[in-house]
Amino acid sequence: LSEEKEIKCVVWDLDETLWEGTVLESDEVRLKPGIADMVRTLDSRGILQSLASKGDYAAAMEKLEEFGLAEFFLYPEISWDAKSASIGRIRERLNIGIDTFLFIDDQPFERDEVKHVFPEVLCWKASAYEALLEHPRLNPKFITEDSRKRRRMYLEDIQRKREEEEFAGPKLDFLESLDMELVINGAQEQDLERAEELTQRTNQLNTTGIAYSYEELKALLRSPRHRLLVCELRDRYGSYGKIGLALLELHEDYWNLKLFLMSCRVMTRGVGSVLLSHIMKEAKKEGKRLRAEFKHTGRNRLMFVTFKFANFKAVSAGNEENMALENDLSAIKEIPPYIRVIETRSG
Amino acid sequence: MDKTQTIREFIESHIVDPEFKGGIEGDIDIFGLGILDSMFALQLVNFIEERFGIAVTDEDLDIQNFSSVNRITAFVDRKKEALDG
């Protein structure tokens, strides 16, 4: 079996799972004992939650409002659709791996249907819910500022997307209206928990897919031969949190980019290329060549394209999986006009 | 629809600035316009693979092959030739 990832999203059924009773049959539904605290605890751990329930959307949401729980569920799916289709849509909107989902439902048929379509989804029967908070995959090693704010950041994203769809003018004007700022910092010790989390959670926009532990990152932070950069993206809706990481190994005549990643939440904002351009400019200014390590993971082709299109060339055919790339820094893409780069501490 | 036109329309449908829509000449450097991100780059590569039935290898992923409508057309022609020949 492949390694078990931390669960990023718990998808709940409602009737006879989150609460006792069936909304459309009676008004007398009652939350299962301890469930409200459980939902809040998962939320505070940075684990997202959603709903895949059969029934009437308005009636179910009204109940959730009454219980004060509605705000905890992102992209709730309450309809008569197959639950696998609901989970598929939730996954697409959250843009996270299907193997990081937990689905809880009292009906064996629903669990089997989901399991059949998505074998990677962990499926639990409703009666097992009391053990939920103890489950190792629901206990992230660190709970960072970013994880605590995670649901709120997704809610801000929903707002952004809504306004983006409603925005009448050209998309460039919309991007300009966001007032984006990319803050690039040399990492400090308080950034390391989030940095570790980023190396573990980021798959698509990751040059190597190699996870670094807190201790390893701490050693790198102290090493005079390394520079660890952390970046945060902000716009007029708020902060996206710390969303990018770059690790440079400093050599006499070149820098080696050992790790470069961006959270998938900022995929459509083009900030990966901005950070890459920034690093390229820095290297050129210091008179260094720039190298980068790359490892195909089957999920990170977007990052490979980003590097190749930024003019990186393969230097060693060598091992198919582990590649060395190099950039002669002769053509560095300009930072687009709709984003401002702010450097506050050097690394 | 001819190949060049198919490619041009795909690019234009993704360009964020209407000023360039319908005005992408064959040799214009599409990434030099500064309004396309790497998400688009990957979508372009995937589109070309699916639409023309070719596989873009690591070596093919050179900006020189993708920087303009004409270059993409020429690249697709070369790949198809290699495939058929």
Side-chain angles (χ1 to χ4, degrees):
Chain A
L1 233 82
S2 66
E3 68 197 283
E4 305 254 283
K5 295 200 173 132
E6 279 180 5
I7 298 290
K8 293 182 183 174
C9 181
V10 175
V11 178
W12 298 88
D13 166 50
L14 289 174
D15 296 333
E16 307 297 350
T17 299
L18 199 81
W19 52 52
E20 288 158 1
T22 302
V23 170
L24 288 182
E25 288 168 10
S26 91
D27 272 347
E28 294 302 300
V29 302
R30 262 188 332 198
L31 286 180
K32 293 259 182 85
I35 211 101
D37 284 342
M38 196 170 278
V39 167
R40 291 196 175 87
T41 304
L42 289 171
D43 187 68
S44 69
R45 290 180 185 175
I47 295 164
L48 304 173
Q49 296 174 81
S50 187
L51 301 169
S53 181
K54 288 192 173 156
D56 178 69
Y57 185 87
M61 289 311 286
E62 196 185 313
K63 275 287 156 207
L64 286 164
E65 292 284 356
E66 261 178 58
F67 293 131
L69 292 178
E71 63 186 288
F72 290 95
F73 303 103
L74 298 171
Y75 301 111
E77 288 275 338
I78 304 161
S79 68
W80 299 101
D81 235 358
K83 300 221 173 176
S84 60
S86 293
I87 289 176
R89 280 191 293 269
I90 296 165
R91 191 212 75 77
E92 204 180 302
R93 289 177 185 142
L94 294 175
N95 196 13
I96 56 179
I98 193 71
D99 53 355
T100 63
F101 274 77
L102 166 63
F103 171 58
I104 307 177
D105 198 305
D106 63 306
Q107 301 278 332
F109 164 78
E110 302 290 5
R111 297 195 300 271
D112 288 347
E113 191 269 329
V114 168
K115 201 88 203 155
H116 180 73
V117 179
F118 298 122
E120 310 90 338
V121 172
L122 181 63
C123 294
W124 276 21
K125 53 186 175 187
S127 56
Y129 84 92
E130 280 171 327
L132 201 67
L133 294 178
E134 273 73 59
H135 194 274
R137 293 182 66 191
L138 288 161
N139 278 280
K141 190 169 163 209
F142 296 115
I143 296 166
T144 64
E145 197 197 336
D146 279 78
S147 49
R148 269 189 297 269
K149 294 193 298 201
R150 185 161 292 129
R151 175 174 51 90
R152 215 185 65 214
M153 294 193 289
Y154 272 92
L155 287 172
E156 287 168 1
D157 268 356
I158 293 172
Q159 185 63 23
R160 273 186 199 102
K161 278 179 198 144
R162 190 174 301 139
E163 292 197 19
E164 187 168 0
E165 278 160 21
E166 287 167 3
F167 195 86
K171 179 147 178 230
L172 195 62
D173 290 357
F174 176 75
L175 289 174
E176 263 162 15
S177 78
L178 286 176
D179 243 336
M180 285 192 283
E181 287 178 352
L182 185 69
V183 185
I184 304 173
N185 283 330
Q188 310 248 314
E189 194 155 342
Q190 68 259 27
D191 297 321
L192 296 184
E193 291 184 355
R194 172 60 179 162
E196 182 195 281
E197 187 181 51
L198 275 171
T199 70
Q200 288 168 350
R201 291 177 67 97
T202 312
N203 298 303
Q204 298 174 75
L205 301 182
N206 188 329
T207 51
T208 65
I210 295 169
Y212 286 77
S213 71
Y214 183 89
E215 293 71 27
E216 285 169 311
L217 291 167
K218 194 167 166 180
L220 289 164
L221 193 63
R222 294 192 171 150
S223 153
R225 291 195 46 219
H226 292 86
R227 249 172 95 182
L228 186 62
L229 300 175
V230 178
C231 42
E232 178 181 353
L233 183 66
R234 300 182 196 139
D235 68 13
R236 67 186 167 91
Y237 295 94
S239 172
Y240 295 70
K242 304 266 164 57
I243 42 75
L245 203 62
L247 173 63
L248 288 159
E249 190 180 62
L250 312 176
H251 293 263
E252 187 68 24
D253 52 350
Y254 70 96
W255 289 353
N256 184 23
L257 197 46
K258 283 196 78 72
L259 170 74
F260 185 93
L261 64 83
M262 281 284 153
S263 160
C264 56
R265 292 183 38 251
V266 297
M267 194 179 271
T268 56
R269 295 289 180 255
V271 286
S273 299
V274 172
L275 178 61
L276 198 54
S277 278
H278 176 80
I279 293 170
M280 286 163 69
K281 282 183 180 176
E282 291 283 299
K284 193 168 183 171
K285 207 166 70 189
E286 303 276 330
K288 312 284 185 193
R289 286 178 293 131
L290 185 62
R291 287 196 163 201
E293 290 179 16
F294 196 92
K295 192 176 163 70
H296 286 290
T297 62
R299 295 173 77 171
N300 60 352
R301 197 180 190 201
L302 179 61
M303 207 45 138
F304 192 68
V305 171
T306 305
F307 272 70
K308 290 301 294 279
F309 282 18
N311 223 11
F312 278 81
K313 313 257 188 238
V315 283
S316 68
N319 187 331
E320 263 288 299
E321 272 185 10
N322 297 296
M323 299 179 76
L325 305 173
E326 187 165 320
N327 196 309
D328 65 10
L329 305 176
S330 62
I332 302 177
K333 263 187 233 164
E334 283 308 314
I335 310 287
Y338 50 77
I339 188 162
R340 206 160 45 249
V341 171
I342 299 174
E343 224 183 335
T344 55
R345 304 184 295 261
S346 66
Chain B
M1 187 166 27
D2 97 319
K3 207 182 296 140
T4 307
Q5 190 56 22
T6 306
I7 294 166
R8 188 193 311 273
E9 282 186 10
F10 179 82
I11 294 166
E12 287 181 353
S13 69
H14 283 76
I15 275 187
V16 291
D17 191 337
E19 199 183 305
F20 290 101
K21 290 207 174 180
I24 298 287
E25 284 171 32
D27 288 320
I28 198 168
D29 174 8
I30 56 172
F31 291 95
L33 299 175
I35 47 183
L36 295 168
D37 55 22
S38 42
M39 181 82 154
F40 164 78
L42 181 65
Q43 286 167 345
L44 175 66
V45 171
N46 290 341
F47 171 77
I48 288 166
E49 288 187 322
E50 278 164 34
R51 184 68 180 71
F52 302 111
I54 57 172
V56 177
T57 66
D58 284 359
E59 291 76 45
D60 294 333
L61 282 172
D62 187 319
I63 188 75
Q64 298 302 323
N65 289 331
F66 295 92
S67 61
S68 71
V69 172
N70 287 350
R71 284 183 173 196
I72 297 169
T73 310
F75 168 72
V76 172
D77 285 342
R78 281 202 306 283
K79 291 296 277 190
K80 285 198 89 74
E81 235 168 69
L83 213 63
D84 300 334

